[in-house]
Amino acid sequence: MNRFAEELLRWFDHHGRKDLPWQHPRDAYRVWLSEIMLQQTQVVTVIGYFQRFVERLPTLRDLAAADEDTVLALWSGLGYYRRARFLHRAAQLCVEQHGGELPRDLDALMALPGIGRSTAGAILAQAHGLRFPILDGNVKRVLTRYHGIAGFPGESAIEKRLWQHADEHTPAVRTADYTQAIMDLGATVCVRSRPACLLCPQAATCVAHRDGLTAVLPTVKPGKKIPTRSVAMLLLRDAKGRVLLERRGPVGVWSGLWSLPEAADADSAPGAAAALARVRAADPLPAFVHVFSHYKLDVSPILFDHATPLKRASDGAERRWCAPGDLAALGLPAPVRTLLDHLPEITP
């Protein structure tokens, strides 16, 4: 075992996280689910989603057999919903091609939707103890600082160097613990801003710590201005308190989720609402901004109470009037769910 791994495992034995829900038991399905959920999301947020997900879908076969609405409803609020659809499709492929189990082969895992090299390595290392390196965001930050590597880690040449270091540090024994340890180090000590170098087991040999570079490494991605788009969301609510929802198309943000009908702006909202129901006066609600990775969405919600459904806007595969009690079973974008949860009481 190399010195880096020895020091890290010694630290992990005293300070590592050993009570995460996907560690008990640490099987391939639970490791895979946690790895997908943890992409772009912090552990503290993921824990509750993970527990609800495995309570409802405890095995890979259960996930494969579930309908998409169930999967998206369990995922609702985690964002990056393509992850959930890839997870669902990969489970179905495992049933069709791998006997209902995740394969124990790197290439076969990487052939499944949504599983890249790092996720595949994490599954094989943590669930089976096999010697495969990982390179998620936390590990990139640790290795970039430890080796003093300048340049944006997402660039292919930099990433190639980081993979080489990840491989050379990964031990052949206690591989599962080492994999968790290096993720823990990045998540709890070698954090993005103000890392706790005095608590780090690698501080004595870390280039960034030695040269005072922890504030500039990893090199940030070259920035670009994020555009802003505007939309009016139409809240058509009938006398029973039901709200009209529409399933979004297969492409674009929130694809496949249930959301609210939309109009280009507040001026065109009454006309768009009238095409779906007989409506009374519009009641604007407080506007808000939702930030995606590549743009900001400026949302103007407009409430139309006591709407009367039109026949052409009746329930169907892509449109439905939903009572408040039915919303939990649907995949809804987080801002839409929040908006619906905080609607004012219906007026007489």
Side-chain angles (χ1 to χ4, degrees), residues 2 15-16 34 46 78 104 111 125 135 143 151 157 164 166 180-181 222 226 237 262 268-269 272 290 298 318 337:
N2 61 82
H15 306 289
S34 70
V46 164
L78 272 175
R104 294 181 57 162
L135 195 64
L143 296 181
Q164 291 171 344
Q180 185 65 54
I226 299 178
R237 184 164 60 174
E262 296 177 358
S268 59
H290 185 72
D298 191 349
E318 308 303 322
R337 187 177 295 280

Side-chain angles (χ1 to χ4, degrees), residues 241-268:
R242 300 181 306 166
V243 175
L244 182 64
L245 297 178
E246 294 180 342
R247 189 192 294 274
R248 295 180 68 90
V251 297
V253 296
W254 299 334
S255 58
L257 299 182
W258 290 91
S259 189
L260 296 165
E262 296 177 358
D265 50 41
D267 290 340
S268 59

Side-chain angles (χ1 to χ4, degrees), residues 278-290:
R278 289 193 295 276
V279 295
R280 299 182 183 179
D283 183 13
L285 301 179
F288 63 90
V289 176
H290 185 72

Side-chain angles (χ1 to χ4, degrees), residues 142-332:
V142 169
L143 296 181
T144 295
R145 286 174 173 163
Y146 184 79
H147 292 281
I149 300 174
F152 176 54
E155 295 177 4
S156 58
I158 303 298
E159 190 171 51
K160 183 178 180 180
R161 289 179 62 188
L162 291 173
W163 271 115
Q164 291 171 344
H165 288 308
D167 184 61
E168 69 189 23
H169 290 311
T170 302
V173 295
R174 294 193 66 188
T175 310
D177 285 344
Y178 171 85
T179 301
Q180 185 65 54
I182 195 167
M183 291 190 293
D184 284 357
L185 187 70
T188 64
V189 175
C190 193
V191 293
R192 183 172 286 105
S193 61
R194 301 178 67 181
C197 296
L198 293 178
L199 303 178
C200 180
Q202 311 295 355
T205 48
C206 174
V207 173
H209 178 59
R210 181 195 68 195
D211 297 345
L213 298 174
T214 55
V216 297
L217 293 178
T219 304
V220 298
K221 183 178 182 179
K224 62 178 181 180
K225 186 177 180 180
I226 299 178
T228 298
R229 303 177 186 174
S230 299
V231 68
M233 286 189 173
L234 313 180
L235 290 133
L236 295 115
R237 184 164 60 174
D238 69 9
K240 300 177 183 178
R242 300 181 306 166
V243 175
L244 182 64
L245 297 178
E246 294 180 342
R247 189 192 294 274
R248 295 180 68 90
V251 297
V253 296
W254 299 334
S255 58
L257 299 182
W258 290 91
S259 189
L260 296 165
E262 296 177 358
D265 50 41
D267 290 340
S268 59
L276 299 169
R278 289 193 295 276
V279 295
R280 299 182 183 179
D283 183 13
L285 301 179
F288 63 90
V289 176
H290 185 72
V291 181
F292 295 96
S293 59
H294 52 296
Y295 72 92
K296 297 178 181 179
L297 187 64
D298 191 349
V299 180
S300 298
I302 302 175
L303 178 62
F304 296 87
D305 257 341
H306 295 282
T308 303
L310 297 176
K311 186 174 182 180
R312 60 176 175 272
S314 58
D315 290 356
E318 308 303 322
R319 183 181 288 136
R320 63 173 66 171
W321 290 85
C322 292
D326 297 332
L327 297 176
L330 298 179
L332 297 171

